[in-house]
Amino acid sequence: IANVKVFPNPMTSAATIQFTALGGAAHDVIVSNLHGQVVREYANVRDNSLTIERQGMAAGMYFVTFRNEQGQTGNVRLMVQ
């Protein structure tokens, strides 16, 4: 995964994550809180962007983890106001 951009960050109601999917691979995208609890999960993402809606996410820091079909992973931080 390359060229990852998260905006707006911090988010209030929604955030868009743009990235380059290397090799066009599908990704699973997992959003977890600081305690490691999964709060959102998106399977088989093939687009180069994803919008995450706040919908009940408490203010604080979250980790967005990308995992592709080849087992490669990457992380970005997302702040929720």
Side-chain angles (χ1 to χ4, degrees):
I1 297 151
N3 303 319
V4 178
K5 297 176 186 164
V6 180
F7 57 91
N9 195 7
M11 80 169 192
T12 53
S13 61
T16 299
I17 300 174
Q18 288 183 336
F19 57 94
T20 302
L22 301 177
H27 290 79
D28 292 333
V29 181
I30 300 162
V31 181
S32 55
N33 63 21
L34 288 176
H35 302 289
Q37 298 166 317
V38 174
V39 296
R40 299 278 189 286
E41 195 165 3
Y42 306 89
N44 249 351
V45 176
R46 292 195 177 270
D47 295 332
N48 286 333
S49 69
L50 174 69
T51 299
I52 296 174
E53 301 287 336
R54 180 172 183 167
Q55 298 176 336
M57 291 171 67
M61 184 183 298
Y62 292 82
F63 296 101
V64 181
T65 303
F66 299 85
R67 184 176 301 126
N68 69 15
E69 296 167 325
Q70 289 83 29
Q72 299 168 321
T73 62
N75 293 298
V76 294
R77 291 184 196 137
L78 172 64
M79 291 295 299
V80 175
Q81 275 187 321

